[in-house]
């Protein structure tokens, strides 16, 4: 009998590449991960790992088992949901990874509606930046993610299926009393001398804002960095900075002014699932709830909102129970 937990460690090693990365993801020590993988080799009576210098990699047998392990773990999840729901309704646990600005605008309303309609369905909500959510989806730590196809540092690939959800404009956010407030589309070059509030380094918005400012001909003077958009808006509201934020991130509770950009920039928001994973009624109803939001009809994509898109191999683009992970860099 294979131990599912050890199989998941093997899958994570295949995806993340190093024992250290697996240990961090699993909240274990590197020695514990190595020990458990050794036990898995004993259980399978097969050499699964080989050492290359100071690192280990999967043998051909290890690669085969990792691929099959993904299928095994997916099927175990399906069986658990079927037993719990007796095949009559969507049931079981669906883990949903979402970036910060889509939590309250997209995820929470969908989960609330699902809780009323499907009492045996649990949705676990995890706040994950695209650079975290995509690897988590690939190793099976989450079942569905809300992400963006525009985060070129972590492109969606042929191993994932995507469901379009919405488009979201990038806007310039400033204090309500700013001299430039309320003047129509903004030319970023006019704000070269302003103090800027940025997201954390290497996050989607930090990279995008840096690129847009440089394309406008200046290096932004960054006076603060926050991983939480509410803190960013507090800073802007106080008159201490201006910022570039996704439209979904602008919370009406804060007194800030927004302007679109003279050269409009939008991000495409999608849901994604692993391609080839066994069909689950629970996952399907979560996707459907995300696609159809009666409280935000403007977020429903106009063209073929129900379609699942299969990405080509060279694709690059740029509840009931709710538990939230640590605050992280947001898209």
């Amino acid at each position: 009998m294979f131990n599912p937990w050890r199989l998941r460690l093997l899958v994570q090693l295949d995806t993340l590449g190093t024992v250290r990365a697996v240990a961090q993801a699993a909240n274990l020590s590197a020695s514990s991960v190595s020990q458990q993988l050794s036990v898995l080799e004993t259980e399978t009576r097969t050499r699964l790992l080989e050492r290359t210098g100071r690192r280990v990699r999967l043998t051909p047998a290890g690669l085969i088992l990792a691929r099959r392990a993904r299928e095994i773990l997916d099927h175990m999840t399906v069986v658990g949901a079927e037993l719990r729901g007796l095949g009559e309704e969507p049931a079981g646990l669906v883990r949903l990874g979402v970036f910060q600005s889509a939590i309250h605008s997209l995820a929470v309303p969908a989960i609330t509606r699902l809780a009323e309609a499907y009492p045996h369905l649990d949705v676990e909500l995890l706040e994950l930046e695209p650079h975290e959510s995509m690897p988590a989806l690939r190793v099976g730590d989450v079942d569905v993610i809300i992400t963006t196809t525009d985060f070129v540092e972590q492109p969606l690939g042929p191993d994932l299926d995507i469901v379009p959800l919405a488009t979201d404009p990038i806007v310039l956010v400033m204090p309500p009393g700013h001299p430039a407030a309320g003047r129509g589309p903004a030319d970023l070059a006019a704000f070269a001398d302003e103090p800027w509030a940025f997201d954390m380094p290497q996050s989607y918005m930090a990279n995008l804002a840096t690129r847009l400012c440089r394309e406008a001909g200046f290096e932004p003077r960054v006076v603060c960095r926050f991983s939480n958009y509410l803190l960013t808006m507090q800073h802007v509201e106080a008159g201490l900075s201006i910022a570039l934020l996704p439209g979904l991130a602008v919370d009406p509770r804060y007194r800030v002014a927004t302007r679109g950009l003279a050269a409009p920039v939008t991000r495409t928001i999608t849901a994604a699932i692993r391609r080839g994973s066994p069909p689950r009624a629970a996952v399907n109803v979560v996707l459907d709830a995300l696609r159809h939001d009666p409280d935000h009809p403007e977020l429903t994509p106009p063209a073929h909102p129900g379609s699942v898109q299969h990405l080509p191999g060279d694709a690059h683009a740029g509840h009931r129970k709710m538990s939230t992970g640590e605050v992280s860099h947001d898209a």
Side-chain angles (χ1 to χ4, degrees):
M1 296 291 291
F2 294 138
N3 182 293
W5 178 56
R6 296 189 186 106
L7 289 178
R8 186 173 295 280
L9 292 178
L10 186 71
V11 169
Q12 289 178 319
L13 180 59
D14 182 34
T15 302
L16 301 177
T18 68
V19 170
R20 182 182 296 275
V22 174
Q24 291 175 342
N27 196 27
L28 297 170
S29 66
S31 60
S32 294
V33 172
S34 297
Q35 182 181 21
Q36 293 304 317
L37 291 174
S38 295
V39 173
L40 184 59
E41 287 187 311
T42 301
E43 291 175 337
T44 59
R45 301 178 183 179
T46 305
R47 187 183 179 203
L48 304 175
L49 309 174
E50 59 186 4
R51 183 168 295 280
T52 58
R54 299 180 63 183
R55 302 179 64 177
V56 296
R57 65 181 181 185
L58 298 182
T59 64
L63 291 170
I64 292 173
L65 182 57
R67 183 173 68 248
R68 297 300 186 190
R70 287 186 175 90
E71 300 172 4
I72 293 170
L73 294 170
D74 283 337
H75 281 294
M76 290 180 65
T77 301
V78 172
V79 170
E82 289 177 346
L83 290 175
R84 184 169 179 179
L86 299 177
E88 297 177 357
E89 63 175 324
L93 176 66
V94 176
R95 298 156 298 177
L96 174 62
V98 187
F99 55 74
Q100 183 187 152
S101 60
I103 289 178
H104 292 289
S105 57
L106 292 175
V108 170
I111 293 172
T112 301
R113 296 193 303 275
L114 288 168
E116 297 173 353
Y118 303 105
H120 298 296
L121 174 67
D122 291 328
V123 180
E124 181 180 352
L125 180 59
L126 302 166
E127 183 185 343
L128 296 173
E129 168 80 3
H131 76 268
E132 299 168 317
S133 65
M134 294 183 200
L137 179 63
R138 288 184 166 111
V139 303
D141 286 342
V142 291
D143 304 296
V144 183
I145 62 173
I146 297 179
T147 186
T148 175
T149 58
D150 307 306
F151 189 50
V152 296
E153 291 84 350
Q154 284 284 344
L156 296 168
D159 58 330
L160 302 179
D161 290 332
I162 66 171
V163 177
L165 298 180
T167 56
D168 189 29
I170 304 302
V171 296
L172 183 65
V173 185
M174 60 189 69
H178 194 286
R183 293 189 178 183
D187 181 356
L188 287 183
F191 299 87
D193 296 328
E194 295 279 352
W196 287 85
F198 266 41
D199 205 328
M200 304 301 289
Q202 302 309 311
S203 66
Y204 170 76
M205 275 310 303
N207 291 351
L208 177 60
T210 299
R211 177 171 64 81
L212 292 178
C213 289
R214 289 173 178 172
E215 289 176 354
F218 67 95
E219 190 69 24
R221 179 166 62 91
V222 179
V223 297
C224 61
R225 289 184 180 270
F226 301 113
S227 63
N228 187 305
Y229 286 158
L230 301 184
L231 295 178
T232 299
M233 283 186 289
Q234 287 178 5
H235 201 267
V236 172
E237 183 183 48
L240 301 175
S241 63
I242 64 174
L244 285 167
L245 293 178
L248 284 178
V250 181
D251 193 313
R253 293 174 296 179
Y254 294 89
R255 294 182 63 254
V256 295
T258 62
R259 291 176 62 181
L261 302 182
V265 177
T266 61
R267 61 176 180 170
T268 301
I269 301 174
T270 69
I273 59 176
R274 293 188 304 281
R275 178 174 296 183
S277 59
R280 292 177 57 196
V283 169
N284 289 338
V285 297
V286 170
L287 288 172
D288 194 57
L290 292 172
R291 288 191 296 111
H292 299 102
D293 187 348
D295 296 324
H296 297 89
E298 72 279 4
L299 295 177
T300 302
H304 308 294
S307 62
V308 174
Q309 296 185 357
H310 303 284
L311 292 175
D314 61 349
H316 292 273
H319 125 163
R320 251 170 93 228
K321 177 165 62 177
M322 191 187 320
S323 61
T324 305
E326 294 182 359
V327 173
S328 63
H329 313 158
D330 178 67

